[in-house]
Amino acid sequence: MITVHEVSKLTGVSVRTLQYYDKIGLLHPAKYTDSGYRLYDDAALVKLQQILLFRELEFPLKDIKLIMDSPDFDYRKALEQQIDLLTLKKEHLENLLNLARGIKAIGVNKMDFTAFDTSKIDEYAEKAKASWGNTPEYHEFEEKSKHRTVQENQILSTQMMSIFAEFGTMRDLPPDAERVQSQVKKLQDFITANFYTCTNAILYSLGTMYAGGGDFTCSINKAGGTGTAEFVCRAIKIYCNK
């Protein structure tokens, strides 16, 4: 655990910005001391890194929060998109640099504005955002979540993790056991009630993501014990294939 001031020195993000991220529910510290000081763990720093990558790509904080709060947020998918966008941005800057060097060397003898064209970057950014935000489920999620307070979101997160903790107590059972399958139904109903309509197809995709090695895998295994995420994934696949 490191303090908010240590995080600020490590990352270059001001203490005030970190406090604001906490206030709007974008990045909470791992815990607070009895004196109210913020403490951050490795998971929080990984999330901060993800936020900063989105900020480098000029995503508004509101969009970043909606994307990262989405139950089907996939860290690896987002990272791949960010790499693609940063590569396009690098190529754009190199074109501008070459243009500037050419002007310096020989003067302006040709009116060439192609280096200023950002349409490729803009197009990819819109496609990346659309992959998170242009589905009926996402709009339903956005509608259900827009009036919730930070505290209410924290309560929902705790309730979600408690469901996974219950899965953890069942790991000795076969994933097709009636009790386990009832727990899958409980998870599906919870998602539908609080986030978006969780069809079997969506639930199946979520199960794959849970065991995919990202933030969700770590959080689920932390709540239910090592192997819980993989166990949940197997149980979901059985439930959806019935």
Side-chain angles (χ1 to χ4, degrees), residues 87-102:
T87 300
L88 290 172
K89 194 172 183 180
K90 175 175 176 285
E91 292 173 356
H92 174 65
L93 290 174
E94 286 176 345
N95 289 336
L96 287 174
L97 184 58
N98 289 335
L99 174 64
R101 284 172 174 163

Side-chain angles (χ1 to χ4, degrees), residues 50 73-81 208-209 211-215:
Q50 185 76 70
F73 175 69
D74 185 333
Y75 170 83
R76 291 181 300 175
K77 175 184 173 183
L79 188 59
E80 288 172 2
Q81 291 175 338
T208 302
M209 184 192 70
D215 288 346

Side-chain angles (χ1 to χ4, degrees), residues 2-97:
I2 60 176
T3 67
V4 67
H5 292 283
E6 290 170 330
V7 172
S8 180
K9 289 180 180 178
L10 177 67
T11 64
V13 180
S14 70
V15 171
R16 180 172 293 182
T17 297
L18 291 167
Q19 291 170 339
Y20 181 67
Y21 286 173
D22 184 15
K23 180 181 178 181
I24 65 174
L26 181 59
L27 177 69
H28 296 301
K31 63 182 295 187
Y32 300 88
T33 67
D34 293 338
S35 302
Y37 290 104
R38 295 170 173 84
L39 296 176
Y40 296 80
D41 59 8
D42 288 345
L45 292 178
V46 168
K47 188 171 183 180
L48 175 60
Q49 191 176 61
Q50 185 76 70
I51 292 167
L52 295 178
L53 281 170
F54 276 124
R55 291 297 287 155
E56 282 295 321
L57 294 168
E58 301 177 10
F59 278 51
L61 290 178
K62 178 184 176 182
D63 288 351
I64 297 173
K65 186 175 187 306
L66 285 172
I67 289 170
M68 298 187 70
D69 281 353
S70 175
D72 58 356
F73 175 69
D74 185 333
Y75 170 83
R76 291 181 300 175
K77 175 184 173 183
L79 188 59
E80 288 172 2
Q81 291 175 338
Q82 288 166 338
I83 290 170
D84 288 341
L85 273 169
L86 289 168
T87 300
L88 290 172
K89 194 172 183 180
K90 175 175 176 285
E91 292 173 356
H92 174 65
L93 290 174
E94 286 176 345
N95 289 336
L96 287 174
L97 184 58

Side-chain angles (χ1 to χ4, degrees), residues 207-223:
T208 302
M209 184 192 70
Y210 292 157
D215 288 346
F216 259 116
T217 302
C218 294
S219 297
I220 292 169
N221 285 340
K222 185 176 180 180

Side-chain angles (χ1 to χ4, degrees), residues 36-195:
Y37 290 104
R38 295 170 173 84
L39 296 176
Y40 296 80
D41 59 8
D42 288 345
L45 292 178
V46 168
K47 188 171 183 180
L48 175 60
Q49 191 176 61
Q50 185 76 70
I51 292 167
L52 295 178
L53 281 170
F54 276 124
R55 291 297 287 155
E56 282 295 321
L57 294 168
E58 301 177 10
F59 278 51
L61 290 178
K62 178 184 176 182
D63 288 351
I64 297 173
K65 186 175 187 306
L66 285 172
I67 289 170
M68 298 187 70
D69 281 353
S70 175
D72 58 356
F73 175 69
D74 185 333
Y75 170 83
R76 291 181 300 175
K77 175 184 173 183
L79 188 59
E80 288 172 2
Q81 291 175 338
Q82 288 166 338
I83 290 170
D84 288 341
L85 273 169
L86 289 168
T87 300
L88 290 172
K89 194 172 183 180
K90 175 175 176 285
E91 292 173 356
H92 174 65
L93 290 174
E94 286 176 345
N95 289 336
L96 287 174
L97 184 58
N98 289 335
L99 174 64
R101 284 172 174 163
I103 292 172
K104 179 181 178 182
I106 61 176
V108 181
N109 60 2
K110 181 180 179 182
M111 300 304 287
D112 182 2
F113 291 89
T114 57
F116 297 96
D117 183 10
T118 62
S119 59
K120 186 184 287 188
I121 298 174
D122 296 339
E123 181 182 357
Y124 189 93
E126 286 305 311
K127 286 182 178 178
K129 290 180 182 179
S131 70
W132 301 103
N134 277 348
T135 63
E137 292 79 16
Y138 185 87
H139 289 303
E140 185 180 355
F141 165 77
E142 187 177 23
E143 185 64 27
K144 285 183 176 180
S145 64
K146 67 181 181 181
H147 297 301
R148 284 201 291 256
T149 65
V150 172
Q151 290 75 18
E152 287 171 338
N153 281 323
Q154 288 176 330
I155 291 171
L156 282 178
S157 178
T158 300
Q159 291 173 341
M160 184 89 158
M161 286 301 111
S162 71
I163 292 175
F164 290 120
E166 290 173 11
F167 271 113
T169 67
M170 305 175 191
R171 281 176 295 156
D172 292 334
L173 297 173
D176 61 350
E178 183 178 351
R179 182 182 168 201
V180 178
Q181 291 298 294
S182 294
Q183 187 70 5
V184 174
K185 180 66 164 58
K186 179 178 179 179
L187 173 63
Q188 184 180 39
D189 290 346
F190 180 84
I191 294 172
T192 295
N194 296 288
F195 301 110

